[in-house]
Amino acid sequence: MKNSPSSAGSPSNGTYLPLSPPYLEVGERVRYSETDQMGVAHNKSYFEWFEIGRTEFCRKKGVPYRDIERRGYALVVVEAFCRYRRPLRYDDTVLIRIALQTMTPKKAVFAYELRAKGKEALIAHGYTVHIAVNKDGEVCPLPRDLIEKIREPLAD
Amino acid sequence: MKNSPSSAGSPSNGTYLPLSPPYLEVGERVRYSETDQMGVAHNKSYFEWFEIGRTEFCRKKGVPYRDIERRGYALVVVEAFCRYRRPLRYDDTVLIRIALQTMTPKKAVFAYELRAKGKEALIAHGYTVHIAVNKDGEVCPLPRDLIEKIREPLAD
Amino acid sequence: MKNSPSSAGSPSNGTYLPLSPPYLEVGERVRYSETDQMGVAHNKSYFEWFEIGRTEFCRKKGVPYRDIERRGYALVVVEAFCRYRRPLRYDDTVLIRIALQTMTPKKAVFAYELRAKGKEALIAHGYTVHIAVNKDGEVCPLPRDLIEKIREPLAD
Amino acid sequence: MKNSPSSAGSPSNGTYLPLSPPYLEVGERVRYSETDQMGVAHNKSYFEWFEIGRTEFCRKKGVPYRDIERRGYALVVVEAFCRYRRPLRYDDTVLIRIALQTMTPKKAVFAYELRAKGKEALIAHGYTVHIAVNKDGEVCPLPRDLIEKIREPLAD
């Protein structure tokens, strides 16, 4: 499985297999403040786009991330990876595709793919690994109802 | 070799082997603006610290990164990975340790380790992979003198 | 005139007069990465929202800011001011209202107002002052066609 | 008084009067991630430097800002202003000068000046206005011991 964190994490992975539907897609414009002096979006911005993707993914599943935190839980990032293929420029519309790869009571893995709107070319792909914690920051299983909602398949 | 990108990129990698000297160490305070509503440094900040590490690493080797760009070259990030172990809080001093793992004419790999000042515990570790490009963004070998300087061992 | 930079810049200005239409309005969600440990959007984010407002304002006038730079000009920020009235939280939708206050060949002043979607309350207001420069960074009048387009009134 | 917020806030203020000692001075390198596609530090970064200045100012006075928050208080930003005079570039060392202009039980005003290391020229100047709040976000006087420490003159 080529989209798994372990293969995505491999620098020798030249055979990236695109995300297949269903996935969620969110569009964002590259901000001027997100460019750097090379004239392209800075590498850290991709992790902010991944995060926007997670926010919209949870909302789509009926469990806004804000509500998860209000109930006393958090999904802290324990791993983040990005493979940059092509640059993004100011004012480009980047399409963020998000899919859930793993969802256990204490762990979630999201995969991401960025594409430029109106073009076929892959901009970047990556993943993040999250651990569920309670208000004291201790690893803690998420409530069953949250897990079930997040696991429900996205409408195609 | 446990610090290589491929093993560092593996989520099952529970047996992280710390960087061994010589490496460069740079200290940075966590900014208020780098915290998020969980009260800890946001995951994107780690990639900015990695970048600060690279800047100081190149300066230490006698090839300030600014000069590399002035000569018409750049080391673009094609891969970035971070494994977050423990949180950082506002005003903590984070020690950024940087080591060069690979340096070929067209490719560089840096490994990073973050530790909290005055504590033993590992905060995070990661790596970035870079490709050398010219002013037109084409892959292009770096000049020999730059490569040789960057490859020179750090004074212990 | 209460929305002018000089009055907006006064800390004793308790009698802020809201922007009156026509103005452009753009919506943005507060990102998780934009919050700080107080649990609210960090003060620097407001200046990024102002910038998003400018980008959309120029696009609406038919002169995408990207095109202005392609033609060899830039509107550099020489002054920025923000008055923060009420906090914004993660995932809130902020409505950015933008109006052009001044547009001469070498200078532009934009005024901004932020409101929370679905609420009446004012979140923040501010302004930025810009000077037109050429590729060498020298102050330089913008071409007449650009000025005229930017000056055209927004459709109400 | 030319350094007061009201005069600093005036766009017609061409007669800026430099901060006179005693002030605190802190050095920071411009990060690559702080540049934008114009090749200079982005306007939002200046407000992060102001914040770094405040952090070091409070530490210098013996009341680390972290401790103020631990005691249940915060100095929220209600106003921020910056006048940009000259650009900063990647890897430049910016000297942040901070002075306290006003300190009442419920309000503080800080003035800032940025200069490039090794050069005389003024890069930027500005101010921020802060209101003291308690844990519930209500305006609330700071404890007397904090105010007295912050008010103590900086060693020249």
Side-chain angles (χ1 to χ4, degrees):
Chain A
M1 201 196 142
K2 288 291 190 288
N3 294 327
S4 70
S6 48
S7 65
S10 164
S12 57
N13 175 15
T15 53
Y16 173 73
L17 189 65
L19 284 187
S20 45
Y23 47 70
L24 184 65
E25 190 174 274
V26 184
E28 278 286 312
R29 288 264 191 191
V30 177
R31 300 174 175 187
Y32 201 93
S33 58
E34 288 170 339
T35 62
D36 64 23
Q37 69 181 40
M38 273 203 288
V40 301
H42 188 266
N43 66 81
K44 76 171 191 295
S45 302
Y46 292 65
F47 296 97
E48 293 192 80
W49 292 321
F50 289 177
E51 192 172 73
I52 288 170
R54 291 197 299 279
T55 288
E56 296 310 321
F57 186 92
C58 292
R59 189 194 323 285
K60 184 83 172 184
K61 293 298 186 88
V63 282
Y65 186 70
R66 170 141 77 167
D67 295 349
I68 296 177
E69 289 204 353
R70 278 180 186 151
R71 287 177 64 178
Y73 301 91
L75 283 167
V76 300
V77 180
V78 294
E79 228 172 279
F81 171 81
C82 186
R83 174 80 173 83
Y84 308 85
R85 296 289 185 114
R86 281 175 184 78
L88 282 169
R89 295 181 189 280
Y90 164 60
D91 217 29
D92 283 351
T93 294
V94 54
L95 301 177
I96 309 161
R97 294 179 180 172
I98 317 101
L100 182 66
Q101 288 206 327
T102 307
M103 184 76 223
T104 70
K106 295 182 182 172
K107 184 177 174 178
V109 181
F110 291 94
Y112 312 89
E113 209 179 88
L114 304 185
R115 293 191 179 261
K117 195 178 173 182
K119 292 169 192 166
E120 278 306 291
L122 180 66
I123 298 294
H125 60 90
Y127 69 87
T128 54
V129 181
H130 303 257
I131 296 295
V133 299
N134 63 17
K135 284 212 161 162
D136 300 320
E138 298 159 343
V139 178
C140 172
L142 288 179
R144 179 179 287 237
D145 68 303
L146 289 183
I147 298 166
E148 282 173 2
K149 278 188 178 169
I150 293 174
R151 273 185 184 155
E152 267 172 33
L154 281 169
D156 212 343
Chain B
M1 203 197 142
K2 287 293 190 288
N3 293 328
S4 70
S6 48
S7 66
S10 164
S12 57
N13 175 17
T15 53
Y16 173 74
L17 190 67
L19 284 186
S20 45
Y23 46 72
L24 183 65
E25 190 173 273
V26 184
E28 277 287 312
R29 289 265 191 191
V30 177
R31 300 175 174 186
Y32 201 93
S33 58
E34 289 171 338
T35 63
D36 64 23
Q37 68 180 41
M38 274 204 285
V40 301
H42 189 266
N43 66 80
K44 76 172 190 295
S45 302
Y46 293 65
F47 296 98
E48 293 192 80
W49 291 322
F50 289 177
E51 192 172 74
I52 288 171
R54 290 197 298 278
T55 287
E56 296 309 321
F57 186 92
C58 292
R59 190 194 321 286
K60 185 83 173 184
K61 294 299 185 86
V63 281
Y65 186 70
R66 171 142 75 168
D67 295 348
I68 296 177
E69 289 204 353
R70 277 179 186 152
R71 286 178 64 178
Y73 300 92
L75 283 166
V76 300
V77 180
V78 294
E79 230 173 277
F81 171 80
C82 186
R83 174 80 173 83
Y84 307 85
R85 296 289 184 114
R86 281 175 186 79
L88 282 169
R89 294 182 192 281
Y90 164 59
D91 217 30
D92 283 351
T93 294
V94 54
L95 301 177
I96 309 162
R97 293 179 180 171
I98 316 99
L100 182 67
Q101 288 205 328
T102 307
M103 185 74 222
T104 70
K106 294 183 183 173
K107 184 176 173 179
V109 181
F110 291 93
Y112 312 89
E113 208 179 270
L114 304 185
R115 293 190 180 261
K117 194 178 175 182
K119 292 169 192 167
E120 279 305 291
L122 179 67
I123 298 293
H125 59 90
Y127 69 86
T128 53
V129 181
H130 303 257
I131 297 294
V133 298
N134 62 18
K135 282 213 162 162
D136 299 320
E138 298 160 343
V139 178
C140 171
L142 288 179
R144 181 179 282 239
D145 67 306
L146 290 184
I147 298 167
E148 281 172 3
K149 279 188 177 169
I150 294 174
R151 273 186 183 154
E152 267 171 33
L154 281 170
D156 211 343
Chain C
M1 202 198 142
K2 287 293 190 288
N3 293 328
S4 70
S6 48
S7 66
S10 165
S12 57
N13 175 17
T15 53
Y16 173 74
L17 190 66
L19 284 187
S20 45
Y23 46 72
L24 183 66
E25 190 174 275
V26 184
E28 276 287 312
R29 290 265 190 192
V30 177
R31 300 174 174 187
Y32 201 94
S33 58
E34 289 171 338
T35 63
D36 64 23
Q37 71 180 38
M38 275 204 285
V40 301
H42 188 266
N43 66 81
K44 76 171 191 293
S45 302
Y46 293 65
F47 296 98
E48 293 191 80
W49 292 321
F50 290 177
E51 191 171 74
I52 289 170
R54 289 196 299 277
T55 288
E56 296 310 321
F57 185 92
C58 292
R59 189 193 322 285
K60 185 82 173 186
K61 294 299 185 88
V63 281
Y65 186 71
R66 170 143 73 170
D67 294 349
I68 296 177
E69 290 205 350
R70 278 180 186 153
R71 287 178 63 178
Y73 300 92
L75 284 166
V76 300
V77 181
V78 293
E79 230 173 276
F81 171 79
C82 187
R83 174 79 174 83
Y84 307 86
R85 297 288 184 113
R86 281 176 185 77
L88 282 169
R89 294 180 191 283
Y90 163 60
D91 216 28
D92 283 350
T93 295
V94 54
L95 301 177
I96 309 162
R97 293 179 181 172
I98 316 100
L100 181 67
Q101 288 205 327
T102 306
M103 185 74 224
T104 69
K106 294 182 182 173
K107 184 177 175 178
V109 180
F110 291 93
Y112 312 89
E113 209 179 87
L114 304 185
R115 293 192 179 261
K117 195 179 176 182
K119 291 169 193 168
E120 279 306 290
L122 180 66
I123 298 294
H125 59 90
Y127 69 86
T128 53
V129 181
H130 304 256
I131 297 294
V133 299
N134 63 18
K135 283 214 161 161
D136 300 320
E138 298 160 342
V139 177
C140 171
L142 287 180
R144 181 179 284 238
D145 67 304
L146 290 184
I147 298 168
E148 282 173 3
K149 277 189 179 170
I150 293 174
R151 274 185 183 155
E152 267 172 35
L154 280 169
D156 210 344
Chain D
M1 201 197 143
K2 289 292 190 288
N3 293 327
S4 70
S6 47
S7 66
S10 164
S12 57
N13 175 17
T15 54
Y16 173 74
L17 190 67
L19 284 186
S20 45
Y23 47 70
L24 183 65
E25 190 173 276
V26 185
E28 277 286 312
R29 288 264 191 193
V30 177
R31 300 174 175 187
Y32 201 94
S33 58
E34 289 170 339
T35 62
D36 64 23
Q37 69 180 41
M38 272 202 288
V40 301
H42 188 266
N43 66 81
K44 76 172 192 294
S45 302
Y46 292 65
F47 295 97
E48 294 192 78
W49 292 321
F50 290 178
E51 192 172 73
I52 289 171
R54 291 197 297 279
T55 288
E56 295 310 321
F57 185 92
C58 292
R59 189 193 323 285
K60 185 84 173 182
K61 294 298 186 87
V63 283
Y65 185 71
R66 170 141 76 168
D67 294 349
I68 296 177
E69 289 205 351
R70 277 179 186 152
R71 287 177 64 178
Y73 301 91
L75 283 166
V76 300
V77 180
V78 294
E79 232 173 275
F81 171 79
C82 187
R83 174 79 173 84
Y84 308 85
R85 297 287 186 116
R86 280 176 186 77
L88 283 169
R89 295 182 190 281
Y90 164 59
D91 216 29
D92 282 351
T93 294
V94 54
L95 301 177
I96 309 162
R97 294 178 180 173
I98 316 100
L100 182 67
Q101 288 206 326
T102 307
M103 184 76 223
T104 70
K106 295 182 182 172
K107 184 176 174 178
V109 181
F110 291 94
Y112 312 89
E113 208 178 88
L114 305 185
R115 292 190 180 263
K117 195 179 175 181
K119 292 169 193 167
E120 280 305 291
L122 179 67
I123 298 293
H125 60 91
Y127 69 85
T128 53
V129 181
H130 303 256
I131 297 293
V133 299
N134 63 17
K135 284 214 161 160
D136 300 320
E138 297 160 343
V139 178
C140 172
L142 288 180
R144 182 180 283 238
D145 67 302
L146 289 184
I147 298 167
E148 282 173 1
K149 279 189 178 168
I150 294 175
R151 274 185 184 154
E152 266 171 35
L154 280 170
D156 210 344

